[in-house]
Amino acid sequence: MTSYLIKGAAILGGEPTDLLIEDGRVVLDPSAVERSRDRGDVEVVDASGLIALPGLVDLHTHLREPGREDAETVLTGTQAAAMGGFTAVHAMANTEPVADTAGVVEQVWRLGREGGYCDVYPVGAVTVGLAGERLAELGAMADSAARVRVFSDDGHCVNDAVLMRRALEYVKAFDGVVAQHAQEPRLTENAQMNEGELSGRLGLAGWPAVAEEAVIARDCLLAAHVGSRLHVCHVSTAGSVEIIRQAKASGWNVTAEVCPHHLLLTDELAATYDPIYKVNPPLRTAADTEALRAALADGTIDIVATDHAPHPLEDKDCEWAAAAFGMLGLETALSVVQETMVDPGLLTWAEVAERMSYAPARIGRVADHGQQLEDGGPANVVLYDPSVRRVVDAGESVSLSRNTPYAGMELPGRVVATFLRGKPTVLDGKLA
Ligand SMILES: [Zn+2]
């Protein structure tokens, strides 16, 4: 295995440092780094001006395999992840067949290992077939080779309070967590966009904030009642932030994520009627975006998660109401976080490492990722250039799909290299 001498990287945005990547480990010991300069077998990477971060961890990715390999496969999705600086992703359960058995989660886990671009941690379905009627084999998935710890019916809400309570109780046995897609179904029947003055004007059915907030409030109370762990997926409203803030203040075991698109984009984009902006939960108001940024900055929202949701052209190239929900996110997440959080001074790079690597790994109980870049630590490393600006070109995506809402937008930053256990998955900004 090739060793790499990374010269002049700013670890977490600090002073430029030379670090050696060898045998899957980070070497910072000055004498070992010094000796590596004269060795012929060490490849030198000029990292002046680059920031080194721990490999990013996504708690919310849709890889589409098995079943929708026309939209994405485990291989192409993990390649997109590597291009975005991720070394671990959690693959959501809404595949065909649904990941609700040990067999399916082991298949997805193995495909990730075989690809070698990014570790894949399958999320297990909470209910059989995501149907919301009876609990899936949570214990069997936890005991499988995939060691599932995160369970979610994402795409659907576990709306039945008794089932949600049972799931929360069940996962305690193996320190699991239930990740809820909070959407009260009756309040959001046929919903198309954020409910407000604009949805009325555009004639699109509204998705009211209260449909998210009511479920989050109930779930926080349930999690506290049974003493279990709840994770709230894709928080999108200012009201949800307030509920989570209160739950944390009460000492309840609740964590939450925000998606890059909810930090940057607003419901005004629906006025274009371009379904590229159709997502669930929907883009909200500028005031919501402000509240989400503040909550991510003060830690009320723990992490950024992409909700990377690839769709083939035919599912997006149609009228708004008929189009699929969801947008790509893996390749642009770090740039959007720089634009919305770092450049305005809301987060330091060290805090970005917490919210995009350490914390998501902790919530998902992933031991091998989300580690500090320290001597002897695992060499899951991203080198990122924050100084460039680029216009996003959907055609350059390595995803099988093209549904990025940022096409044509100028965003800061570029992932230059990603290392997974010391092996480059991206070098010079290209797949290795
Ligand atoms: Zn969802």
Side-chain angles (χ1 to χ4, degrees), residues 60 62 92 152-156 180-182 233-234 280-281 307:
H60 192 148
H62 295 275
M92 275 299 173
S152 181
D153 273 3
D154 184 56
H156 301 267
Q180 176 73 295
H181 169 118
C233 295
H234 40 50
N280 190 14
D307 197 4

Side-chain angles (χ1 to χ4, degrees), residues 220 242-256 295 299-303:
C220 286
E242 282 316 308
I243 293 162
I244 293 160
R245 192 167 276 141
Q246 274 187 37
K248 289 192 164 183
S250 304
W252 301 344
N253 213 336
V254 175
T255 55
T300 301
I301 293 178
D302 303 78
I303 65 168

